[in-house]
């Protein structure tokens, strides 16, 4: 099923801000970067509209911030909270006449609201002690001053809300699925070769995580620029070698995903020799970690110049449990070699996965 996004043919600048594919094709224009970052940007909104949108979705805006801004906001929010209540405690002491009296021997009939709050520095120290429940024992609110007790309750309530929000935001930012994909690698190039006399588009995925992943699913979308200045998106189905369309129950390493270039495939037309179509294949991978159930998500994309014809992936040997896993060593899984696209070619028999030297599973 294809979905069409219509561009504005009256202005090339508007088209370029709507989608990189709708501008003049270059090797650097894409919707999704190789490491999965979205490069699509909508029309620039005004400053007021941007702030209003951020306020309406404060949680999403917070999670989208970079870590340096999150840490800055964390420190700034607590400093502002302490400063605010330091001012309130200072104003309370000033209104009650506590600044100019001897707190060890107050005048008869004078009720101190906060003991030993004699200036703004002392008020700030008291606000800090109250929020962090340090309790050094020198300064304390007087139970005979109802205003001080009410202000103390207000500071504690707002402080607990602030701490709960900051803690939840830190946990949510740490647990975002797209931040846990550093150990999942896509092949930098996709290949087109024959599998059982059928031309197929293939890419490979490698898992460098210390724990295996389960329930691995892959989906893909073809974004294509048409001559009528529209951007079409069409879903593509990739099959896992040996498992078909079923999710992979255990992702060790590596996996090869195949899309047959049948006459009904939307890729069959754009991948024909001499085609000038500008397109991008965006691949989405989702999986769960065994034991914890934590979600993992990663995506990448392939442009026309990143698809190699007449090549196939070389044999892949699974890393043993005690072998070191790193990106440099994993890149050998993405090596390709020449193959024929004209003669019938059976499924690749050269790629063998060995687990601790026992058992062989043939795979692409």
């Amino acid at each position: 099923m294809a979905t069409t996004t219509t561009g504005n043919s009256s202005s090339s600048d508007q088209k370029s801000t709507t989608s990189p594919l709708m501008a003049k094709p270059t090797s650097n224009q894409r919707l999704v970067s190789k490491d999965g970052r979205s490069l699509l940007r909508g029309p620039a909104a005004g400053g007021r509209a941007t702030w209003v949108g951020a306020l309406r979705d404060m949680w999403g805006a917070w999670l989208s911030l970079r870590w340096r801004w999150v840490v800055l906001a964390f420190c700034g929010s607590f400093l502002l909270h302490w400063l605010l209540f330091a001012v309130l405690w200072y104003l309370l002491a000033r209104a009650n006449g506590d600044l100019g009296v001897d707190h060890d021997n107050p005048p008869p009939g004078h009720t101190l609201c906060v003991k030993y709050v004699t200036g703004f520095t002392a008020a700030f120290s008291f606000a800090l002690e109250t929020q962090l429940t340090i309790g050094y024992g020198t300064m304390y609110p007087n139970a005979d001053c109802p205003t001080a007790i009410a202000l103390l309750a207000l500071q504690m309530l707002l402080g607990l809300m602030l701490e709960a929000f900051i803690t939840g935001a830190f946990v949510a930012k740490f647990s975002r699925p797209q931040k846990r994909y550093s150990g999942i690698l896509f092949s930098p190039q996709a290949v087109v070769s024959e599998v059982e006399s059928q031309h197929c588009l293939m890419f490979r995925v490698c898992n460098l995580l210390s724990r295996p992943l389960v329930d691995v699913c892959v989906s893909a979308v073809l974004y294509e620029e048409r001559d009528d200045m529209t951007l079409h998106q069409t879903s593509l189905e990739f099959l896992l070698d040996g498992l078909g369309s079923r999710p992979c129950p255990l992702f060790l390493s590596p996996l090869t995903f195949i899309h047959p270039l049948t006459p009904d495939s939307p890729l069959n037309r754009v991948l024909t020799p001499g085609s000038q179509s500008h397109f991008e294949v965006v691949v989405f991978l989702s999986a769960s970690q065994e034991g914890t159930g934590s979600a993992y998500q990663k995506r990448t994309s392939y442009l026309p110049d990143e698809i190699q014809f007449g090549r196939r992936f070389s044999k892949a040997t699974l890393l043993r449990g005690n072998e070191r896993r790193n990106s440099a060593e994993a890149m050998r899984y993405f090596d390709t070699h020449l193959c024929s696209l004209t003669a019938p070619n059976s499924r690749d028999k050269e790629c063998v996965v060995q687990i601790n030297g026992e058992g062989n599973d043939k795979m692409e």
Side-chain angles (χ1 to χ4, degrees):
M1 179 179 181
T3 304
T4 304
T5 303
T6 304
N8 187 353
S9 60
S10 61
S11 174
S12 60
D13 294 337
Q14 293 180 357
K15 288 185 289 184
S16 62
T17 57
T18 304
S19 168
L21 290 179
M22 297 304 295
K24 184 178 179 180
T26 66
S27 59
N28 295 325
Q29 289 176 336
R30 58 199 316 151
L31 299 174
V32 177
S33 65
K34 296 297 291 184
D35 59 357
R37 293 179 294 106
S38 176
L39 304 179
L40 184 62
R41 296 292 182 269
R48 185 174 183 275
T50 303
W51 281 104
V52 170
L55 291 176
R56 290 178 179 177
D57 186 19
M58 292 183 61
W59 187 254
W62 174 271
L63 294 182
S64 63
L65 291 176
R66 294 182 178 272
W67 271 110
R68 55 178 175 267
W69 298 114
V70 171
V71 174
L72 180 62
F74 170 81
C75 298
S77 60
F78 277 101
L79 286 175
L80 289 176
H81 185 263
W82 297 332
L83 284 173
L84 171 63
F85 280 93
V87 172
L88 294 179
W89 287 116
Y90 176 79
L91 293 177
L92 175 61
R94 183 171 183 175
N96 195 53
D98 297 343
L99 300 180
V101 301
D102 185 2
H103 282 229
D104 292 326
N105 295 301
H110 182 81
T111 301
L112 297 173
C113 283
V114 182
K115 192 74 170 179
Y116 296 116
V117 173
T118 58
F120 182 78
T121 304
F124 182 83
S125 177
F126 179 72
L128 183 63
E129 293 179 19
T130 301
Q131 177 61 38
L132 300 180
T133 64
I134 297 175
Y136 288 120
T138 303
M139 294 178 288
Y140 57 89
N142 193 343
D144 295 330
C145 180
T147 306
I149 301 302
L151 185 58
L152 177 66
L154 178 62
Q155 181 179 357
M156 294 302 297
L157 287 175
L158 293 181
L160 289 174
M161 293 174 59
L162 178 62
E163 291 176 1
F165 178 83
I166 295 294
T167 303
F170 266 77
V171 173
K173 194 167 181 63
F174 271 115
S175 60
R176 287 193 299 170
Q178 61 269 35
K179 291 300 181 181
R180 295 195 298 270
Y181 56 50
S182 59
I184 303 176
L185 301 180
F186 284 94
S187 58
Q189 305 284 338
V191 299
V192 175
S193 61
E194 289 190 1
V195 177
E196 296 181 349
S197 303
Q198 174 66 60
H199 288 195
C200 296
L201 175 70
M202 297 183 290
F203 67 89
R204 181 170 282 179
V205 188
C206 180
N207 177 24
L208 299 182
L209 300 173
S210 58
R211 293 184 179 181
L213 301 179
V214 297
D215 298 330
V216 182
C217 297
V218 164
S219 59
V221 177
L222 171 65
Y223 293 93
E224 180 191 2
E225 178 187 353
R226 299 284 177 87
D227 294 335
D228 55 353
M229 294 301 177
T230 57
L231 182 66
H232 290 251
Q233 52 184 5
T234 309
S235 62
L236 300 175
E237 182 179 3
F238 276 84
L239 308 176
L240 179 59
D241 183 36
L243 292 179
S245 60
R246 293 177 296 176
C248 178
L250 187 63
F251 184 9
L252 296 175
S253 179
L255 298 177
T256 303
F257 292 88
I258 304 172
H259 174 75
L261 299 177
T262 61
D264 297 331
S265 171
L267 279 176
N268 192 43
R269 173 176 47 81
V270 297
L271 287 178
T272 55
S275 175
Q276 300 298 323
S277 298
H278 188 47
F279 65 90
E280 182 176 352
V281 178
V282 182
V283 179
F284 306 86
L285 182 144
S286 61
S288 301
Q289 188 179 69
E290 187 179 34
T292 64
S294 300
Y296 283 75
Q297 296 176 358
K298 189 168 185 177
R299 62 191 176 194
T300 190
S301 69
Y302 297 100
L303 293 179
D305 57 354
E306 295 170 344
I307 299 177
Q308 299 179 340
F309 289 81
R311 303 190 70 89
R312 66 191 318 158
F313 291 110
S314 302
K315 67 169 64 176
T317 303
L318 183 65
L319 288 174
R320 298 175 185 268
N322 58 356
E323 291 187 20
R324 184 180 179 183
R325 296 166 177 247
N326 56 58
S327 300
E329 294 178 353
M331 292 306 293
R332 70 175 185 267
Y333 295 137
F334 305 141
D335 293 339
T336 61
H337 61 270
L338 291 172
C339 64
S340 175
L341 276 179
T342 56
N345 189 15
S346 60
R347 191 173 293 267
D348 190 0
K349 304 293 184 179
E350 298 177 352
C351 298
V352 178
V353 175
Q354 295 183 346
I355 304 177
N356 295 328
E358 297 180 2
N360 294 330
D361 292 328
K362 298 180 178 57
M363 62 173 295
E364 293 287 349

